[in-house]
Amino acid sequence: MNEISLKWKIFIFLIGFSSILVMLLWLFQVVFLNNFYKTIKINEIKSSAKTISKNIDSDRLLSTIQDISIQNNVCVEVFFSNSGDVYSSDVLRECTIHKMSILDKINILNITEQNEGKYLEYFTNDSNQANIYNKKNQDFIIYSQIITNKNGDVALILLNSVVSPVNATVNTLRIQLYYITGFTIIFSIILAFIISRRVSHPIEMLNKSAKILAKGNYETKFYGSGYKEISELSDTLNYTAKELSKVESLRQELIANISHDLRTPLTLISGYAEVMRDLPSENNKENAQIIIDETRKLTTLVNDLLDISKFQSGVETLFMEEKNITNIIETTIDRMNKFLKKEKYQIDFSYKKEILVKIDETKLIQAFYNLLINAINYTGEDKKIFVKQEICDNKVKISVIDTGLGIEEDKLPYIWDRYYKVDKTHKRAVTGTGLGLSIVKSIIEMHQGEYGVYSTNSGSTFWFSLKYK
Ligand code: ADP
């Protein structure tokens, strides 16, 4: 795929980001500076006029005018038409309004009247009027406003401010911006390089190790540091590698076990069959029974293997029906008791009341049966097994308790794994595949139930629980 690497993405992002920053700087500092400055000056002159008009009736009108004039660097003249009073403040070196002829002022008064009492004119230094007013080097603004005081005397407020040329400033800024642009680009390149190295280097390392892992080298170690996500990813990959190597050794063990488990009954079957064929005296019921028993073991082994692969691939679905779980357990136990009577095994069942649960009967019997078979295989000398049905919080809990030697604590988490066997020999002459508990786990999980085990050196309790309402 034509994907861009993380390194380049960071680089492009940083360059893009700095370009936008530099572009904004250019726009504001160079391109729009003149307009900004003009707008500020226009607003300043308007607000000066506003303040004067507010103070038109004040005794301190003159000092207000002088203050404003100094503060905002504007020249001001206020004429009262009836009284003929003139208030003036001249702070500019070449003020236009103080140099205007009376005719010009009357002209401005007329224009202001036509413009509903407010008039603003911006003169650029090359305009004709600027020449008329004899100002050649600077832009300037004339603002006039007509206002009536409390005595009904009409006054013309006339203001003038100069807009100094910003070209020199712009030139200085432009040179500065050339440096800033250059510096930003170099800085982004360095930063992109450092960040991408810090971010992508550990990922590249992990990727390299993952490729080695994919080739089947489960001893691969992942080293990822620098930031949280990477060390978490590396921990996960280390864990995965560990689990994969466990599965791999279990798989090899399973092949060895299964071959052994298949070979033993097959040797017996073919051995006994040959004896029965060759020696008519050996052609008896007992020998035929051995062949039947060994064939059954083979069938169980093959069925377990088929079941587990179906559960693992997720093709198995449940056929759920409301069933009396207490009856089902009791019947299974009765059958088992009858079957094991000769071997003197005793399975007891205790329950308070019968419970209806939605289950897939066949699958649930299979799960329970696997727990029961394990309990029979591992229980103590007394050959006793207890099955308990309890009810708590709308859940029915079935426990299968044996009196065997229990399971070592460090082995407990693994017994539910596929192909796991604590030790390879069973007390009873029943071959285990290490699949029984894994089948239990799959079935109970498919029923959305819970399962678990408590174990001490005087016995184990395997349990599962299902919601029944
Ligand atoms: P297996 O076919 O070997 O019994 P399981 O998946 O049923 O396979 O059990 C896995 C391992 O858990 C067994 O090999 C055994 O060591 C241990 N185990 C299961 N049930 C019991 C039990 N009731 N008491 C002691 N150990 C048990």
Side-chain angles (χ1 to χ4, degrees), residues 304 370-371 374-379 402 404-407 415-417 419-423 426 431-439 455 460 462:
D304 272 6
N370 282 357
L371 292 183
N374 277 350
I376 294 164
N377 286 340
Y378 293 101
T379 197
D402 65 57
L405 295 172
I407 306 160
I415 57 169
W416 305 93
D417 291 351
Y419 317 131
Y420 186 84
K421 291 191 200 179
V422 172
D423 63 354
H426 286 273
T431 28
T433 54
L435 294 173
L437 289 180
S438 171
I439 292 175
S455 195
S460 312
F462 280 82

PDB file of all heavy atoms in Angstrom, residues 304 370-371 374-379 402 404-407 415-417 419-423 426 431-439 455 460 462, ligand 1:
ATOM      1  N   ASP A 304     -13.635 -35.519  21.671  1.00  0.00           N
ATOM      2  CA  ASP A 304     -13.124 -34.336  22.376  1.00  0.00           C
ATOM      3  C   ASP A 304     -12.398 -33.409  21.418  1.00  0.00           C
ATOM      4  O   ASP A 304     -12.591 -32.196  21.426  1.00  0.00           O
ATOM      5  CB  ASP A 304     -12.144 -34.766  23.479  1.00  0.00           C
ATOM      6  CG  ASP A 304     -12.861 -35.053  24.778  1.00  0.00           C
ATOM      7  OD1 ASP A 304     -14.108 -35.013  24.754  1.00  0.00           O
ATOM      8  OD2 ASP A 304     -12.190 -35.324  25.796  1.00  0.00           O
ATOM      9  N   ASN A 370     -17.853 -33.855  32.035  1.00  0.00           N
ATOM     10  CA  ASN A 370     -16.387 -33.684  32.052  1.00  0.00           C
ATOM     11  C   ASN A 370     -15.886 -33.395  33.462  1.00  0.00           C
ATOM     12  O   ASN A 370     -14.859 -33.913  33.885  1.00  0.00           O
ATOM     13  CB  ASN A 370     -15.970 -32.532  31.133  1.00  0.00           C
ATOM     14  CG  ASN A 370     -15.987 -32.932  29.675  1.00  0.00           C
ATOM     15  OD1 ASN A 370     -16.251 -34.086  29.360  1.00  0.00           O
ATOM     16  ND2 ASN A 370     -15.718 -31.991  28.794  1.00  0.00           N
ATOM     17  N   LEU A 371     -16.624 -32.541  34.214  1.00  0.00           N
ATOM     18  CA  LEU A 371     -16.215 -32.229  35.587  1.00  0.00           C
ATOM     19  C   LEU A 371     -16.313 -33.483  36.452  1.00  0.00           C
ATOM     20  O   LEU A 371     -15.443 -33.760  37.280  1.00  0.00           O
ATOM     21  CB  LEU A 371     -17.104 -31.127  36.179  1.00  0.00           C
ATOM     22  CG  LEU A 371     -16.971 -29.732  35.563  1.00  0.00           C
ATOM     23  CD1 LEU A 371     -17.867 -28.750  36.301  1.00  0.00           C
ATOM     24  CD2 LEU A 371     -15.528 -29.236  35.620  1.00  0.00           C
ATOM     25  N   ASN A 374     -13.515 -35.942  35.711  1.00  0.00           N
ATOM     26  CA  ASN A 374     -12.268 -35.496  36.343  1.00  0.00           C
ATOM     27  C   ASN A 374     -12.296 -35.808  37.827  1.00  0.00           C
ATOM     28  O   ASN A 374     -11.318 -36.305  38.378  1.00  0.00           O
ATOM     29  CB  ASN A 374     -12.082 -33.983  36.161  1.00  0.00           C
ATOM     30  CG  ASN A 374     -11.471 -33.654  34.806  1.00  0.00           C
ATOM     31  OD1 ASN A 374     -11.026 -34.545  34.101  1.00  0.00           O
ATOM     32  ND2 ASN A 374     -11.461 -32.376  34.465  1.00  0.00           N
ATOM     33  N   ALA A 375     -13.444 -35.499  38.490  1.00  0.00           N
ATOM     34  CA  ALA A 375     -13.550 -35.729  39.930  1.00  0.00           C
ATOM     35  C   ALA A 375     -13.356 -37.216  40.228  1.00  0.00           C
ATOM     36  O   ALA A 375     -12.652 -37.580  41.172  1.00  0.00           O
ATOM     37  CB  ALA A 375     -14.904 -35.243  40.427  1.00  0.00           C
ATOM     38  N   ILE A 376     -13.956 -38.061  39.378  1.00  0.00           N
ATOM     39  CA  ILE A 376     -13.810 -39.511  39.587  1.00  0.00           C
ATOM     40  C   ILE A 376     -12.343 -39.914  39.422  1.00  0.00           C
ATOM     41  O   ILE A 376     -11.791 -40.667  40.226  1.00  0.00           O
ATOM     42  CB  ILE A 376     -14.717 -40.289  38.597  1.00  0.00           C
ATOM     43  CG1 ILE A 376     -16.184 -40.017  38.921  1.00  0.00           C
ATOM     44  CG2 ILE A 376     -14.428 -41.775  38.639  1.00  0.00           C
ATOM     45  CD1 ILE A 376     -17.149 -40.387  37.821  1.00  0.00           C
ATOM     46  N   ASN A 377     -11.727 -39.356  38.389  1.00  0.00           N
ATOM     47  CA  ASN A 377     -10.330 -39.711  38.114  1.00  0.00           C
ATOM     48  C   ASN A 377      -9.376 -39.250  39.206  1.00  0.00           C
ATOM     49  O   ASN A 377      -8.356 -39.874  39.439  1.00  0.00           O
ATOM     50  CB  ASN A 377      -9.883 -39.090  36.792  1.00  0.00           C
ATOM     51  CG  ASN A 377     -10.483 -39.823  35.611  1.00  0.00           C
ATOM     52  OD1 ASN A 377     -10.908 -40.982  35.739  1.00  0.00           O
ATOM     53  ND2 ASN A 377     -10.554 -39.152  34.473  1.00  0.00           N
ATOM     54  N   TYR A 378      -9.688 -38.111  39.840  1.00  0.00           N
ATOM     55  CA  TYR A 378      -8.709 -37.521  40.749  1.00  0.00           C
ATOM     56  C   TYR A 378      -9.107 -37.610  42.224  1.00  0.00           C
ATOM     57  O   TYR A 378      -8.376 -37.135  43.076  1.00  0.00           O
ATOM     58  CB  TYR A 378      -8.462 -36.043  40.380  1.00  0.00           C
ATOM     59  CG  TYR A 378      -7.791 -35.894  39.042  1.00  0.00           C
ATOM     60  CD1 TYR A 378      -8.529 -35.558  37.906  1.00  0.00           C
ATOM     61  CD2 TYR A 378      -6.424 -36.111  38.908  1.00  0.00           C
ATOM     62  CE1 TYR A 378      -7.929 -35.435  36.675  1.00  0.00           C
ATOM     63  CE2 TYR A 378      -5.813 -35.988  37.686  1.00  0.00           C
ATOM     64  CZ  TYR A 378      -6.562 -35.650  36.555  1.00  0.00           C
ATOM     65  OH  TYR A 378      -5.958 -35.541  35.344  1.00  0.00           O
ATOM     66  N   THR A 379     -10.289 -38.187  42.527  1.00  0.00           N
ATOM     67  CA  THR A 379     -10.702 -38.170  43.928  1.00  0.00           C
ATOM     68  C   THR A 379      -9.818 -39.118  44.774  1.00  0.00           C
ATOM     69  O   THR A 379      -9.031 -39.905  44.228  1.00  0.00           O
ATOM     70  CB  THR A 379     -12.204 -38.537  44.049  1.00  0.00           C
ATOM     71  OG1 THR A 379     -12.658 -38.133  45.323  1.00  0.00           O
ATOM     72  CG2 THR A 379     -12.446 -40.024  43.860  1.00  0.00           C
ATOM     73  N   ASP A 402     -14.333 -33.190  44.990  1.00  0.00           N
ATOM     74  CA  ASP A 402     -13.680 -34.490  45.190  1.00  0.00           C
ATOM     75  C   ASP A 402     -12.773 -34.426  46.421  1.00  0.00           C
ATOM     76  O   ASP A 402     -12.583 -33.363  47.002  1.00  0.00           O
ATOM     77  CB  ASP A 402     -12.896 -34.892  43.927  1.00  0.00           C
ATOM     78  CG  ASP A 402     -11.753 -33.959  43.656  1.00  0.00           C
ATOM     79  OD1 ASP A 402     -10.893 -33.785  44.530  1.00  0.00           O
ATOM     80  OD2 ASP A 402     -11.732 -33.363  42.535  1.00  0.00           O
ATOM     81  N   GLY A 404      -9.568 -35.586  46.454  1.00  0.00           N
ATOM     82  CA  GLY A 404      -8.215 -35.923  45.990  1.00  0.00           C
ATOM     83  C   GLY A 404      -7.134 -35.002  46.561  1.00  0.00           C
ATOM     84  O   GLY A 404      -7.355 -34.281  47.540  1.00  0.00           O
ATOM     85  N   LEU A 405      -6.006 -35.005  45.892  1.00  0.00           N
ATOM     86  CA  LEU A 405      -4.857 -34.226  46.399  1.00  0.00           C
ATOM     87  C   LEU A 405      -4.891 -32.761  45.968  1.00  0.00           C
ATOM     88  O   LEU A 405      -4.036 -31.979  46.354  1.00  0.00           O
ATOM     89  CB  LEU A 405      -3.555 -34.872  45.903  1.00  0.00           C
ATOM     90  CG  LEU A 405      -3.293 -36.279  46.446  1.00  0.00           C
ATOM     91  CD1 LEU A 405      -2.088 -36.895  45.751  1.00  0.00           C
ATOM     92  CD2 LEU A 405      -3.069 -36.246  47.952  1.00  0.00           C
ATOM     93  N   GLY A 406      -5.876 -32.435  45.172  1.00  0.00           N
ATOM     94  CA  GLY A 406      -6.008 -31.044  44.743  1.00  0.00           C
ATOM     95  C   GLY A 406      -5.006 -30.677  43.654  1.00  0.00           C
ATOM     96  O   GLY A 406      -4.286 -31.533  43.148  1.00  0.00           O
ATOM     97  N   ILE A 407      -4.990 -29.389  43.332  1.00  0.00           N
ATOM     98  CA  ILE A 407      -4.116 -28.905  42.245  1.00  0.00           C
ATOM     99  C   ILE A 407      -3.229 -27.816  42.835  1.00  0.00           C
ATOM    100  O   ILE A 407      -3.711 -26.975  43.603  1.00  0.00           O
ATOM    101  CB  ILE A 407      -4.959 -28.328  41.085  1.00  0.00           C
ATOM    102  CG1 ILE A 407      -5.980 -29.378  40.620  1.00  0.00           C
ATOM    103  CG2 ILE A 407      -4.091 -27.876  39.925  1.00  0.00           C
ATOM    104  CD1 ILE A 407      -7.135 -28.796  39.863  1.00  0.00           C
ATOM    105  N   ILE A 415      -5.215 -24.738  34.072  1.00  0.00           N
ATOM    106  CA  ILE A 415      -5.940 -25.993  33.830  1.00  0.00           C
ATOM    107  C   ILE A 415      -7.088 -25.846  32.837  1.00  0.00           C
ATOM    108  O   ILE A 415      -7.517 -26.805  32.242  1.00  0.00           O
ATOM    109  CB  ILE A 415      -6.466 -26.627  35.144  1.00  0.00           C
ATOM    110  CG1 ILE A 415      -7.357 -25.624  35.873  1.00  0.00           C
ATOM    111  CG2 ILE A 415      -5.332 -27.106  36.016  1.00  0.00           C
ATOM    112  CD1 ILE A 415      -8.110 -26.256  37.019  1.00  0.00           C
ATOM    113  N   TRP A 416      -7.565 -24.591  32.653  1.00  0.00           N
ATOM    114  CA  TRP A 416      -8.677 -24.383  31.706  1.00  0.00           C
ATOM    115  C   TRP A 416      -8.169 -24.252  30.279  1.00  0.00           C
ATOM    116  O   TRP A 416      -8.949 -24.174  29.347  1.00  0.00           O
ATOM    117  CB  TRP A 416      -9.481 -23.125  32.075  1.00  0.00           C
ATOM    118  CG  TRP A 416      -9.977 -23.154  33.482  1.00  0.00           C
ATOM    119  CD1 TRP A 416      -9.359 -22.628  34.572  1.00  0.00           C
ATOM    120  CD2 TRP A 416     -11.179 -23.766  33.963  1.00  0.00           C
ATOM    121  NE1 TRP A 416     -10.099 -22.868  35.696  1.00  0.00           N
ATOM    122  CE2 TRP A 416     -11.235 -23.566  35.351  1.00  0.00           C
ATOM    123  CE3 TRP A 416     -12.231 -24.468  33.352  1.00  0.00           C
ATOM    124  CZ2 TRP A 416     -12.268 -24.029  36.144  1.00  0.00           C
ATOM    125  CZ3 TRP A 416     -13.265 -24.925  34.130  1.00  0.00           C
ATOM    126  CH2 TRP A 416     -13.277 -24.711  35.520  1.00  0.00           C
ATOM    127  N   ASP A 417      -6.849 -24.190  30.132  1.00  0.00           N
ATOM    128  CA  ASP A 417      -6.292 -24.046  28.782  1.00  0.00           C
ATOM    129  C   ASP A 417      -6.423 -25.359  28.017  1.00  0.00           C
ATOM    130  O   ASP A 417      -6.427 -26.434  28.602  1.00  0.00           O
ATOM    131  CB  ASP A 417      -4.802 -23.692  28.850  1.00  0.00           C
ATOM    132  CG  ASP A 417      -4.597 -22.291  29.389  1.00  0.00           C
ATOM    133  OD1 ASP A 417      -5.603 -21.573  29.525  1.00  0.00           O
ATOM    134  OD2 ASP A 417      -3.439 -21.947  29.679  1.00  0.00           O
ATOM    135  N   TYR A 419      -5.359 -28.500  26.040  1.00  0.00           N
ATOM    136  CA  TYR A 419      -4.261 -29.476  26.058  1.00  0.00           C
ATOM    137  C   TYR A 419      -3.451 -29.466  27.341  1.00  0.00           C
ATOM    138  O   TYR A 419      -2.399 -30.060  27.426  1.00  0.00           O
ATOM    139  CB  TYR A 419      -3.283 -29.263  24.882  1.00  0.00           C
ATOM    140  CG  TYR A 419      -3.947 -28.986  23.577  1.00  0.00           C
ATOM    141  CD1 TYR A 419      -3.553 -27.920  22.783  1.00  0.00           C
ATOM    142  CD2 TYR A 419      -4.988 -29.796  23.126  1.00  0.00           C
ATOM    143  CE1 TYR A 419      -4.175 -27.659  21.578  1.00  0.00           C
ATOM    144  CE2 TYR A 419      -5.607 -29.530  21.924  1.00  0.00           C
ATOM    145  CZ  TYR A 419      -5.203 -28.460  21.160  1.00  0.00           C
ATOM    146  OH  TYR A 419      -5.811 -28.207  19.981  1.00  0.00           O
ATOM    147  N   TYR A 420      -3.929 -28.714  28.371  1.00  0.00           N
ATOM    148  CA  TYR A 420      -3.100 -28.657  29.574  1.00  0.00           C
ATOM    149  C   TYR A 420      -3.382 -29.838  30.478  1.00  0.00           C
ATOM    150  O   TYR A 420      -4.517 -30.146  30.807  1.00  0.00           O
ATOM    151  CB  TYR A 420      -3.352 -27.352  30.345  1.00  0.00           C
ATOM    152  CG  TYR A 420      -2.395 -27.216  31.505  1.00  0.00           C
ATOM    153  CD1 TYR A 420      -1.128 -26.690  31.309  1.00  0.00           C
ATOM    154  CD2 TYR A 420      -2.748 -27.656  32.774  1.00  0.00           C
ATOM    155  CE1 TYR A 420      -0.228 -26.601  32.356  1.00  0.00           C
ATOM    156  CE2 TYR A 420      -1.855 -27.572  33.827  1.00  0.00           C
ATOM    157  CZ  TYR A 420      -0.605 -27.040  33.610  1.00  0.00           C
ATOM    158  OH  TYR A 420       0.282 -26.959  34.645  1.00  0.00           O
ATOM    159  N   LYS A 421      -2.307 -30.474  30.901  1.00  0.00           N
ATOM    160  CA  LYS A 421      -2.447 -31.552  31.886  1.00  0.00           C
ATOM    161  C   LYS A 421      -1.426 -31.288  32.980  1.00  0.00           C
ATOM    162  O   LYS A 421      -0.267 -30.987  32.683  1.00  0.00           O
ATOM    163  CB  LYS A 421      -2.108 -32.896  31.253  1.00  0.00           C
ATOM    164  CG  LYS A 421      -3.082 -33.384  30.222  1.00  0.00           C
ATOM    165  CD  LYS A 421      -2.701 -34.811  29.957  1.00  0.00           C
ATOM    166  CE  LYS A 421      -3.210 -35.348  28.668  1.00  0.00           C
ATOM    167  NZ  LYS A 421      -2.768 -36.728  28.505  1.00  0.00           N
ATOM    168  N   VAL A 422      -1.856 -31.387  34.252  1.00  0.00           N
ATOM    169  CA  VAL A 422      -0.913 -31.113  35.336  1.00  0.00           C
ATOM    170  C   VAL A 422       0.194 -32.164  35.332  1.00  0.00           C
ATOM    171  O   VAL A 422       1.371 -31.872  35.350  1.00  0.00           O
ATOM    172  CB  VAL A 422      -1.635 -31.076  36.695  1.00  0.00           C
ATOM    173  CG1 VAL A 422      -0.631 -30.977  37.828  1.00  0.00           C
ATOM    174  CG2 VAL A 422      -2.606 -29.896  36.742  1.00  0.00           C
ATOM    175  N   ASP A 423      -0.185 -33.420  35.340  1.00  0.00           N
ATOM    176  CA  ASP A 423       0.833 -34.463  35.117  1.00  0.00           C
ATOM    177  C   ASP A 423       0.244 -35.499  34.175  1.00  0.00           C
ATOM    178  O   ASP A 423      -0.968 -35.535  33.943  1.00  0.00           O
ATOM    179  CB  ASP A 423       1.327 -35.070  36.430  1.00  0.00           C
ATOM    180  CG  ASP A 423       0.211 -35.761  37.167  1.00  0.00           C
ATOM    181  OD1 ASP A 423      -0.951 -35.649  36.691  1.00  0.00           O
ATOM    182  OD2 ASP A 423       0.457 -36.396  38.161  1.00  0.00           O
ATOM    183  N   HIS A 426      -2.765 -40.586  35.202  1.00  0.00           N
ATOM    184  CA  HIS A 426      -4.030 -40.539  35.930  1.00  0.00           C
ATOM    185  C   HIS A 426      -4.087 -41.702  36.899  1.00  0.00           C
ATOM    186  O   HIS A 426      -3.444 -42.724  36.690  1.00  0.00           O
ATOM    187  CB  HIS A 426      -5.211 -40.660  34.961  1.00  0.00           C
ATOM    188  CG  HIS A 426      -5.446 -39.430  34.177  1.00  0.00           C
ATOM    189  ND1 HIS A 426      -6.226 -38.398  34.611  1.00  0.00           N
ATOM    190  CD2 HIS A 426      -4.973 -39.059  32.963  1.00  0.00           C
ATOM    191  CE1 HIS A 426      -6.241 -37.457  33.703  1.00  0.00           C
ATOM    192  NE2 HIS A 426      -5.488 -37.830  32.693  1.00  0.00           N
ATOM    193  N   THR A 431      -7.471 -42.403  29.801  1.00  0.00           N
ATOM    194  CA  THR A 431      -6.560 -41.448  29.160  1.00  0.00           C
ATOM    195  C   THR A 431      -7.200 -40.082  29.085  1.00  0.00           C
ATOM    196  O   THR A 431      -8.322 -39.934  28.608  1.00  0.00           O
ATOM    197  CB  THR A 431      -6.198 -41.932  27.741  1.00  0.00           C
ATOM    198  OG1 THR A 431      -7.267 -42.715  27.268  1.00  0.00           O
ATOM    199  CG2 THR A 431      -4.899 -42.677  27.736  1.00  0.00           C
ATOM    200  N   GLY A 432      -6.476 -39.087  29.548  1.00  0.00           N
ATOM    201  CA  GLY A 432      -6.985 -37.714  29.466  1.00  0.00           C
ATOM    202  C   GLY A 432      -6.329 -37.015  28.286  1.00  0.00           C
ATOM    203  O   GLY A 432      -5.196 -37.317  27.931  1.00  0.00           O
ATOM    204  N   THR A 433      -7.061 -36.104  27.700  1.00  0.00           N
ATOM    205  CA  THR A 433      -6.505 -35.395  26.548  1.00  0.00           C
ATOM    206  C   THR A 433      -6.067 -33.994  26.926  1.00  0.00           C
ATOM    207  O   THR A 433      -5.450 -33.301  26.144  1.00  0.00           O
ATOM    208  CB  THR A 433      -7.571 -35.266  25.452  1.00  0.00           C
ATOM    209  OG1 THR A 433      -8.724 -34.662  26.057  1.00  0.00           O
ATOM    210  CG2 THR A 433      -7.928 -36.591  24.870  1.00  0.00           C
ATOM    211  N   GLY A 434      -6.451 -33.576  28.139  1.00  0.00           N
ATOM    212  CA  GLY A 434      -6.167 -32.191  28.519  1.00  0.00           C
ATOM    213  C   GLY A 434      -7.173 -31.246  27.887  1.00  0.00           C
ATOM    214  O   GLY A 434      -6.997 -30.030  27.872  1.00  0.00           O
ATOM    215  N   LEU A 435      -8.250 -31.801  27.358  1.00  0.00           N
ATOM    216  CA  LEU A 435      -9.239 -30.954  26.674  1.00  0.00           C
ATOM    217  C   LEU A 435     -10.518 -30.788  27.483  1.00  0.00           C
ATOM    218  O   LEU A 435     -11.301 -29.874  27.240  1.00  0.00           O
ATOM    219  CB  LEU A 435      -9.601 -31.565  25.314  1.00  0.00           C
ATOM    220  CG  LEU A 435      -8.478 -31.605  24.294  1.00  0.00           C
ATOM    221  CD1 LEU A 435      -8.922 -32.373  23.064  1.00  0.00           C
ATOM    222  CD2 LEU A 435      -8.075 -30.195  23.903  1.00  0.00           C
ATOM    223  N   GLY A 436     -10.724 -31.675  28.463  1.00  0.00           N
ATOM    224  CA  GLY A 436     -11.985 -31.698  29.212  1.00  0.00           C
ATOM    225  C   GLY A 436     -12.391 -30.345  29.766  1.00  0.00           C
ATOM    226  O   GLY A 436     -13.494 -29.851  29.480  1.00  0.00           O
ATOM    227  N   LEU A 437     -11.499 -29.709  30.536  1.00  0.00           N
ATOM    228  CA  LEU A 437     -11.863 -28.433  31.171  1.00  0.00           C
ATOM    229  C   LEU A 437     -12.004 -27.311  30.146  1.00  0.00           C
ATOM    230  O   LEU A 437     -12.801 -26.392  30.329  1.00  0.00           O
ATOM    231  CB  LEU A 437     -10.822 -28.051  32.229  1.00  0.00           C
ATOM    232  CG  LEU A 437     -10.849 -28.913  33.495  1.00  0.00           C
ATOM    233  CD1 LEU A 437      -9.778 -28.450  34.461  1.00  0.00           C
ATOM    234  CD2 LEU A 437     -12.211 -28.841  34.178  1.00  0.00           C
ATOM    235  N   SER A 438     -11.224 -27.403  29.077  1.00  0.00           N
ATOM    236  CA  SER A 438     -11.344 -26.379  28.043  1.00  0.00           C
ATOM    237  C   SER A 438     -12.718 -26.461  27.383  1.00  0.00           C
ATOM    238  O   SER A 438     -13.336 -25.427  27.060  1.00  0.00           O
ATOM    239  CB  SER A 438     -10.229 -26.598  27.039  1.00  0.00           C
ATOM    240  OG  SER A 438     -10.415 -25.785  25.953  1.00  0.00           O
ATOM    241  N   ILE A 439     -13.241 -27.695  27.249  1.00  0.00           N
ATOM    242  CA  ILE A 439     -14.598 -27.864  26.697  1.00  0.00           C
ATOM    243  C   ILE A 439     -15.616 -27.290  27.689  1.00  0.00           C
ATOM    244  O   ILE A 439     -16.536 -26.562  27.304  1.00  0.00           O
ATOM    245  CB  ILE A 439     -14.868 -29.360  26.388  1.00  0.00           C
ATOM    246  CG1 ILE A 439     -13.979 -29.798  25.235  1.00  0.00           C
ATOM    247  CG2 ILE A 439     -16.339 -29.601  26.069  1.00  0.00           C
ATOM    248  CD1 ILE A 439     -14.049 -31.281  24.894  1.00  0.00           C
ATOM    249  N   SER A 455      -9.154 -25.177  45.265  1.00  0.00           N
ATOM    250  CA  SER A 455      -8.450 -26.436  45.467  1.00  0.00           C
ATOM    251  C   SER A 455      -7.540 -26.366  46.689  1.00  0.00           C
ATOM    252  O   SER A 455      -6.845 -25.371  46.884  1.00  0.00           O
ATOM    253  CB  SER A 455      -7.635 -26.750  44.210  1.00  0.00           C
ATOM    254  OG  SER A 455      -7.247 -28.083  44.241  1.00  0.00           O
ATOM    255  N   SER A 460     -10.607 -30.870  45.505  1.00  0.00           N
ATOM    256  CA  SER A 460     -10.902 -29.709  44.644  1.00  0.00           C
ATOM    257  C   SER A 460     -12.408 -29.561  44.495  1.00  0.00           C
ATOM    258  O   SER A 460     -13.143 -30.545  44.558  1.00  0.00           O
ATOM    259  CB  SER A 460     -10.337 -29.912  43.245  1.00  0.00           C
ATOM    260  OG  SER A 460      -9.018 -30.350  43.315  1.00  0.00           O
ATOM    261  N   PHE A 462     -14.831 -27.961  41.666  1.00  0.00           N
ATOM    262  CA  PHE A 462     -15.037 -27.307  40.371  1.00  0.00           C
ATOM    263  C   PHE A 462     -16.493 -26.878  40.307  1.00  0.00           C
ATOM    264  O   PHE A 462     -17.377 -27.653  40.657  1.00  0.00           O
ATOM    265  CB  PHE A 462     -14.739 -28.275  39.219  1.00  0.00           C
ATOM    266  CG  PHE A 462     -13.267 -28.406  38.938  1.00  0.00           C
ATOM    267  CD1 PHE A 462     -12.473 -29.258  39.686  1.00  0.00           C
ATOM    268  CD2 PHE A 462     -12.686 -27.658  37.934  1.00  0.00           C
ATOM    269  CE1 PHE A 462     -11.127 -29.361  39.431  1.00  0.00           C
ATOM    270  CE2 PHE A 462     -11.331 -27.762  37.669  1.00  0.00           C
ATOM    271  CZ  PHE A 462     -10.542 -28.606  38.429  1.00  0.00           C
TER     272      PHE A 462
HETATM  273  P1  ADP B   1      -7.688 -34.199  31.341  1.00  0.00           P
HETATM  274  O1  ADP B   1      -8.268 -34.834  30.158  1.00  0.00           O
HETATM  275  O2  ADP B   1      -6.219 -34.340  31.430  1.00  0.00           O
HETATM  276  O3  ADP B   1      -8.388 -34.495  32.601  1.00  0.00           O
HETATM  277  P2  ADP B   1      -8.808 -31.599  31.727  1.00  0.00           P
HETATM  278  O4  ADP B   1      -8.842 -30.399  30.852  1.00  0.00           O
HETATM  279  O5  ADP B   1     -10.105 -32.183  32.108  1.00  0.00           O
HETATM  280  O6  ADP B   1      -7.888 -32.672  31.019  1.00  0.00           O
HETATM  281  O7  ADP B   1      -8.013 -31.227  33.018  1.00  0.00           O
HETATM  282  C1  ADP B   1      -6.788 -30.555  32.931  1.00  0.00           C
HETATM  283  C2  ADP B   1      -5.905 -30.878  34.096  1.00  0.00           C
HETATM  284  O8  ADP B   1      -6.479 -30.353  35.284  1.00  0.00           O
HETATM  285  C3  ADP B   1      -5.811 -32.378  34.331  1.00  0.00           C
HETATM  286  O9  ADP B   1      -4.748 -32.920  33.601  1.00  0.00           O
HETATM  287  C4  ADP B   1      -5.571 -32.450  35.801  1.00  0.00           C
HETATM  288  O10 ADP B   1      -4.210 -32.380  36.071  1.00  0.00           O
HETATM  289  C5  ADP B   1      -6.240 -31.212  36.369  1.00  0.00           C
HETATM  290  N1  ADP B   1      -7.531 -31.552  37.004  1.00  0.00           N
HETATM  291  C6  ADP B   1      -8.763 -31.484  36.442  1.00  0.00           C
HETATM  292  N2  ADP B   1      -9.708 -31.824  37.329  1.00  0.00           N
HETATM  293  C7  ADP B   1      -9.077 -32.149  38.467  1.00  0.00           C
HETATM  294  C8  ADP B   1      -9.496 -32.603  39.765  1.00  0.00           C
HETATM  295  N3  ADP B   1     -10.778 -32.795  40.062  1.00  0.00           N
HETATM  296  N4  ADP B   1      -8.545 -32.815  40.716  1.00  0.00           N
HETATM  297  C9  ADP B   1      -7.253 -32.625  40.438  1.00  0.00           C
HETATM  298  N5  ADP B   1      -6.782 -32.208  39.243  1.00  0.00           N
HETATM  299  C10 ADP B   1      -7.677 -31.972  38.270  1.00  0.00           C
END
